[in-house]
Amino acid sequence: QVQLVESGGGLVQPGGSLRISCVASGSIFNYDMGWYRQTPRNQGEMVASITKDGGTIYAESVKGRFTISKDNAKNTVYLQMDSLKPEDTSTYYCNAKSTPTGKFAYWGQGTQVTVSS
């Protein structure tokens, strides 16, 4: 069982930056990690993911603006969000998926990001 706790959300103006963090209760070394958010239609959208080996994938809507990274020593995953837009407003959830099969998946409670002037 892995517990995930997100932090760092808040209110930011359009064009601004924010970094959110996800701290795991145990080692994330053998997990693929990801950030998801809810769309206005209440669907889950993968924002960014990072494999245990460091490979990254981004949603088209955030490419070039968001950067996912991790610090295995701190059991922490980060999402650096730059050039934020109002449509980035959402609750952001951290996800951990066991490798290699993804048999076990864990979610955090979410952190709210609001982009508004």
Side-chain angles (χ1 to χ4, degrees), residues 37-45 86-92:
R37 66 187 180 188
Q38 285 184 307
T39 68
R41 295 182 179 178
N42 215 30
Q43 293 175 319
E45 175 187 37
E87 51 264 43
D88 295 318
T89 295
S90 187
T91 302
Y92 285 72

Side-chain angles (χ1 to χ4, degrees), residues 44-117:
E45 175 187 37
M46 191 281 291
V47 177
S49 67
I50 185 166
T51 69
K52 61 172 288 190
D53 298 321
T56 58
I57 298 174
Y58 295 92
E60 284 296 325
S61 59
V62 307
K63 272 184 182 178
R65 300 188 298 122
F66 290 11
T67 304
I68 188 171
S69 63
K70 63 174 180 170
D71 186 334
N72 287 333
K74 295 182 178 179
N75 299 328
T76 302
V77 180
Y78 306 97
L79 185 67
Q80 176 67 42
M81 303 181 289
D82 298 319
S83 302
L84 281 160
K85 304 175 181 180
E87 51 264 43
D88 295 318
T89 295
S90 187
T91 302
Y92 285 72
Y93 297 90
C94 180
N95 170 264
K97 196 178 303 180
S98 63
T99 60
T101 65
K103 180 178 180 180
F104 301 101
Y106 305 97
W107 293 91
Q109 83 290 348
T111 186
Q112 178 67 34
V113 173
T114 302
V115 185
S116 175
S117 55

Side-chain angles (χ1 to χ4, degrees), residues 3-45:
Q3 293 180 327
L4 304 172
V5 179
E6 301 98 331
S7 64
L11 173 65
V12 62
Q13 292 187 340
S17 297
L18 202 63
R19 187 178 80 160
I20 56 178
S21 303
C22 169
V23 180
S25 59
S27 174
I28 62 171
F29 183 78
N30 287 317
Y31 287 84
D32 293 335
M33 305 296 296
W35 287 97
Y36 290 73
R37 66 187 180 188
Q38 285 184 307
T39 68
R41 295 182 179 178
N42 215 30
Q43 293 175 319
E45 175 187 37

